Amino acid sequence: MRQDFLNSLKSFYSKYRRLPSYSEMLKLFGFASKKAVFDVIQRLTEEGFLNKNNRKLSPTSSFFAIPLYGVVKAGYPILTEENKQYLTLDEYLIEDPVSSFLLKVSGDSLFDIGIFDGDIVIIERKKEAKPGDIVLAEIDNEWTLKILRRDRKRQVLYLEAANDKYPPFYPKRELKIYGVVKASVRKFERMN
Amino acid sequence: MRQDFLNSLKSFYSKYRRLPSYSEMLKLFGFASKKAVFDVIQRLTEEGFLNKNNRKLSPTSSFFAIPLYGVVKAGYPILTEENKQYLTLDEYLIEDPVSSFLLKVSGDSLFDIGIFDGDIVIIERKKEAKPGDIVLAEIDNEWTLKILRRDRKRQVLYLEAANDKYPPFYPKRELKIYGVVKASVRKFERMN
DNA sequence: TGACAATGTAAACGTTTGTTTACTACAATA
DNA sequence: TATTGTAGTAAACAAACGTTTACATTGTCA
């Protein structure tokens, strides 16, 4: 019952990217009085799916989110309702949406750290990076995705691939950091 | 300028999960008249970031989305405005939100296909899977994340780890498929 | 400098908003 | 059967909504 109301709200939201007004909910829920809508919304608010601040309705994170289960190493995944967390991937992966962008990875230079050709990485634009960070950098006029390292003897920064096939890249002229890789995602289309 | 307006809207949205009303935008934009707000919104609507249907404002997908750039293998990433796509990760990775859930990976049994301990996988709940799919399965009362294979000689399904350390798993009694892995994500917290 | 467009102000507008009140219908319980 | 709580209707409310109009200010460029 009340699950139905939440689901109609969800499908309205995924269609229009906003919550319906009470009048719109009248039709959506099949009520004749706004009071009935009011009561439903009250419940959903108390249950933590919606939020009200000075008469304005907004969805909470539970509204969007997808359950996240843990797994025990060998045995049963924890599939009970109690220890269920919720997560939206955008929020989880992208901490600063304004300064972030995505990049489709090409090549196998990060193979050993599990970033493959065709993966998408989330990059946060910033000039400063620490050794150990995976960076999008411009080295001698060529753009690349590598691990930033510090050569302690020579006291310089250089780039290292995560793949034995490639040698370290020491900048001849200059090394410009454009951003830092914060996350990576892969979609499994259809494999054989 | 107009980029500032869009960004204030974005940060309002990421805080409250809804668009501000015109009165709220007054303060947000620093205007004294709602007409000024009206004009800004008009522009953002024409530029495709917002949508209006009968006086109701809603964000479009470009509003949320993050630019996706391609890379040329060695050389320059394509960072021009023209060939910029937009993407929201939730929409990209989760095709069927209702039947999907997330699982935190534990163990190294999928190491060779770049799924590491601590990664999160998106699983779509379904009983049927094809050989080659990565599946969440119950084999002889134990839950696990493996690759589904078909033994052509013996005509049976079995599970295979993506890691030489582990042998194939032939079910003694039964093999139940609970879902199929559609995507995987990894967050790089801080590495050294 | 003068003309013109762009951009903002101020006020007023009819609608729509979410909320509240009073009342009704129905199901569950003892 | 009588009682009590739940869930809905109908109507009325002030407040807030998005829009419009008329006018002022500003910046641009010949």
Side-chain angles (χ1 to χ4, degrees):
Chain A
M1 288 293 100
R2 49 190 71 180
Q3 194 65 18
D4 289 345
F5 296 137
L6 185 56
N7 280 338
S8 350
L9 285 181
K10 282 183 183 173
S11 61
F12 186 100
Y13 200 100
S14 63
K15 197 170 173 188
Y16 297 105
R17 290 177 206 277
R18 63 171 178 85
L19 288 176
S21 70
Y22 281 28
S23 334
E24 288 171 319
M25 291 185 204
L26 274 186
K27 302 166 200 164
L28 202 63
F29 295 163
F31 284 139
S33 164
K34 285 207 276 182
K35 167 64 156 44
V37 172
F38 184 84
D39 290 347
V40 168
I41 295 304
Q42 196 87 332
R43 262 208 316 264
L44 290 175
T45 303
E46 285 162 7
E47 288 169 8
F49 295 107
L50 300 174
N51 224 327
K52 271 190 203 178
N53 58 336
N54 63 325
R55 303 183 155 222
K56 304 270 174 39
L57 210 59
S58 59
T60 64
S61 67
S62 334
F63 183 86
F64 302 101
I66 290 195
L68 165 67
Y69 302 102
V71 247
V72 288
K73 195 141 189 171
Y76 274 85
I78 308 152
L79 289 173
T80 57
E81 292 292 316
E82 294 90 51
N83 30 27
K84 191 158 76 172
Q85 275 186 274
Y86 285 91
L87 212 62
T88 81
L89 293 180
D90 281 293
E91 285 182 14
Y92 175 69
L93 295 175
I94 306 176
E95 280 169 12
D96 182 7
V98 176
S99 73
S100 299
F101 62 94
L102 308 174
L103 197 62
K104 192 156 218 164
V105 175
S106 157
D108 58 354
S109 68
L110 295 175
F111 189 88
D112 290 350
I113 52 171
I115 298 180
F116 298 166
D117 190 287
D119 288 2
I120 288 177
V121 290
I122 290 100
I123 296 182
E124 208 167 274
R125 217 176 331 245
K126 49 174 160 180
K127 298 134 281 172
E128 300 301 329
K130 298 200 177 101
D133 284 344
I134 307 160
V135 294
L136 172 64
E138 186 182 7
I139 183 168
D140 299 329
N141 289 326
E142 200 161 290
W143 285 85
T144 183
L145 217 47
K146 297 273 184 321
I147 303 173
L148 183 67
R149 297 291 183 198
R150 169 174 292 280
D151 187 319
R152 292 195 183 278
K153 272 189 294 187
R154 294 204 256 164
Q155 282 286 41
V156 289
L157 292 171
Y158 67 100
L159 298 179
E160 184 185 73
N163 190 332
D164 297 338
K165 282 181 14 190
Y166 302 105
F169 296 82
Y170 282 83
K172 292 194 188 67
R173 294 193 302 283
E174 65 167 350
L175 173 62
K176 276 203 300 203
I177 306 295
Y178 195 73
V180 175
V181 172
K182 308 292 280 187
S184 74
V185 316
R186 178 181 315 137
K187 199 171 169 180
F188 297 99
E189 300 290 356
R190 167 135 308 287
M191 331 194 343
N192 280 338
Chain B
M1 289 291 102
R2 49 189 69 180
Q3 195 65 18
D4 288 346
F5 296 138
L6 186 54
N7 280 338
S8 353
L9 286 181
K10 281 182 183 175
S11 61
F12 186 100
Y13 200 101
S14 63
K15 198 169 173 189
Y16 297 105
R17 292 176 205 276
R18 63 171 176 88
L19 288 176
S21 72
Y22 281 28
S23 334
E24 287 171 320
M25 292 185 204
L26 275 185
K27 302 166 200 165
L28 202 63
F29 296 163
F31 284 139
S33 165
K34 285 207 273 181
K35 166 66 156 45
V37 172
F38 183 84
D39 291 347
V40 167
I41 295 305
Q42 196 87 333
R43 263 209 314 266
L44 291 175
T45 304
E46 284 162 7
E47 288 168 9
F49 294 106
L50 300 174
N51 226 326
K52 271 189 202 180
N53 58 336
N54 62 328
R55 304 184 154 220
K56 303 270 173 42
L57 210 59
S58 61
T60 64
S61 68
S62 332
F63 181 87
F64 301 102
I66 289 197
L68 167 66
Y69 303 103
V71 247
V72 287
K73 196 143 189 170
Y76 274 87
I78 308 153
L79 288 173
T80 58
E81 292 292 315
E82 294 92 52
N83 31 26
K84 193 158 74 171
Q85 276 185 275
Y86 284 92
L87 211 62
T88 81
L89 293 179
D90 280 295
E91 285 181 12
Y92 174 68
L93 296 175
I94 306 176
E95 281 168 12
D96 182 7
V98 177
S99 74
S100 298
F101 62 94
L102 308 174
L103 197 62
K104 192 156 217 164
V105 175
S106 156
D108 58 353
S109 68
L110 295 175
F111 189 88
D112 289 350
I113 52 172
I115 298 180
F116 298 166
D117 190 287
D119 289 2
I120 288 177
V121 290
I122 290 100
I123 296 183
E124 209 166 273
R125 218 176 330 246
K126 49 174 160 180
K127 297 132 285 175
E128 300 301 330
K130 298 198 178 101
D133 284 344
I134 306 158
V135 294
L136 172 64
E138 187 183 8
I139 183 168
D140 298 329
N141 290 324
E142 200 161 290
W143 286 84
T144 183
L145 217 47
K146 297 273 184 321
I147 304 172
L148 183 68
R149 297 291 183 198
R150 169 176 292 282
D151 186 321
R152 291 194 184 280
K153 273 189 291 186
R154 294 204 256 164
Q155 282 287 41
V156 288
L157 291 170
Y158 68 100
L159 297 180
E160 184 184 73
N163 192 331
D164 296 340
K165 284 181 10 190
Y166 302 104
F169 296 81
Y170 283 83
K172 291 194 189 68
R173 294 195 303 283
E174 66 167 348
L175 173 62
K176 273 203 302 201
I177 307 296
Y178 194 73
V180 174
V181 172
K182 309 292 281 187
S184 75
V185 315
R186 179 181 314 135
K187 199 169 169 180
F188 297 100
E189 302 289 354
R190 166 134 309 286
M191 330 192 345
N192 279 339

